[in-house]
Amino acid sequence: MRPLPPFPARTMAPGGISRRGAVLAASAAMLADAGALAQERSMSHVVLLGDSVFDNGAYVGGGPDVVTQLRQQIPGGWRASLAAVDGGRLGDIPRQLRTMPADASHLVISIGGNDALSHAGIFEQPVDTVAEALMEVARVRQWFEAAYGEMLDQVLRLDRPTAVCTIYDTRYPEPRRTLAITALAVLNDGITRQAFRRGLPVVDLRLICNEEADFANPIEPSVQGGGKIAKAIATLLAQHDVGRHRSEIFV
């Protein structure tokens, strides 16, 4: 009988692992990475913080509020929760952070409109010159921007991707509408400055809610307006690259 051929030597990869074993190990690592990525995406959870711009359920006559419409528009694998509270002000954000879901992965903030309303009395103050009037507006702006920046710093300590919203133009009758829009432009400058300094994306509600039908009353979003806000947030979640730490504006 012929002698049996020698058993082929097993080719070894560095470290004493066979080539087949190395391939299997690499494949397992790739599958693990893919699984981790899928799990990360499945765990994506955006939380809305702020005021009645998001918590508008009381103003839509039984129609869908902002977070309900957002759930219908966000990418697959995402969840959305509402931590915003009607009437919320800048000082209320820390409380909302404490009560929001622990697994929140992304935050979107719309706050400041009620703080602006609390200073509406400056429109009734008598002044002798336009310069005095502008100084009153500047005083409010300085306070607002400082408070907004402090609020953002508290939020960013949580190390979650965060976006902010501007304050939309109100729908008061004239001449109050023009006065409010002019004053809000000053406060919105504070919002965008603070966001840009931190490389945060901005949802510009002034350009999104730009029709009368977007409002249920002079200062609350309707179903239509809420749908447009939800669409802009969904676009932000799908398109913004948080790793670049670069501000973008979504409308």
Side-chain angles (χ1 to χ4, degrees):
M1 297 179 63
R2 291 185 179 180
L4 292 174
F7 193 81
R10 178 176 292 180
T11 305
M12 305 297 287
I17 303 175
S18 69
R19 289 190 180 278
R20 184 171 183 271
V23 171
L24 290 174
S27 299
M30 291 176 63
L31 289 173
D33 290 343
L37 180 60
Q39 183 179 19
E40 180 182 353
R41 288 177 175 172
S42 69
M43 291 169 44
S44 296
H45 188 176
V46 60
V47 175
L48 306 182
L49 303 165
D51 54 29
S52 58
V53 171
F54 292 152
D55 185 22
N56 69 326
Y59 308 101
V60 292
D65 58 4
V66 171
V67 72
T68 299
Q69 297 195 72
L70 179 59
R71 289 170 183 147
Q72 298 168 353
Q73 300 191 46
I74 49 179
W78 281 80
R79 290 181 293 144
S81 293
L82 178 67
V85 178
D86 187 3
R89 297 188 184 187
L90 286 166
D92 296 319
I93 293 297
R95 184 182 307 113
Q96 295 180 18
L97 293 174
R98 292 193 295 270
T99 60
M100 73 180 185
D103 64 345
S105 63
H106 294 68
L107 308 176
V108 182
I109 305 168
S110 180
I111 198 75
N114 292 310
D115 298 274
L117 282 173
S118 70
H119 289 87
I122 65 171
F123 293 139
E124 310 301 328
Q125 293 181 12
V127 294
D128 294 325
T129 65
V130 173
E132 288 182 21
L134 289 175
M135 286 303 299
E136 285 299 312
V137 174
R139 178 181 59 81
V140 174
R141 178 197 177 279
Q142 290 168 358
W143 169 84
F144 180 88
E145 184 173 350
Y148 200 94
E150 181 179 344
M151 177 274 296
L152 281 182
D153 287 339
Q154 294 181 55
V155 172
L156 294 177
R157 290 189 192 108
L158 298 178
D159 196 26
R160 305 285 199 282
T162 300
V164 302
C165 300
T166 59
I167 305 170
Y168 47 43
D169 296 335
T170 65
R171 287 302 186 269
Y172 290 117
E174 293 291 359
R176 189 179 180 186
R177 177 185 296 198
T178 297
L179 289 172
I181 291 173
T182 303
L184 288 174
V186 176
L187 301 187
N188 278 318
D189 179 70
I191 291 175
T192 54
R193 284 174 185 265
Q194 293 297 324
F196 295 160
R197 284 172 182 163
R198 294 163 176 80
L200 302 179
V202 175
V203 179
D204 197 336
L205 298 183
R206 295 170 295 182
L207 301 181
I208 294 168
C209 295
N210 58 358
E211 302 176 86
E212 297 295 328
D214 293 333
F215 292 85
N217 61 42
I219 59 173
E220 316 289 354
S222 64
V223 171
Q224 175 177 302
K228 293 166 75 172
I229 294 169
K231 181 179 179 181
I233 295 173
T235 300
L236 179 151
L237 296 174
Q239 297 182 2
H240 182 65
D241 183 357
V242 298
R244 297 180 66 187
H245 302 287
R246 180 178 178 180
S247 292
E248 290 182 283
I249 298 177
F250 290 84
V251 298

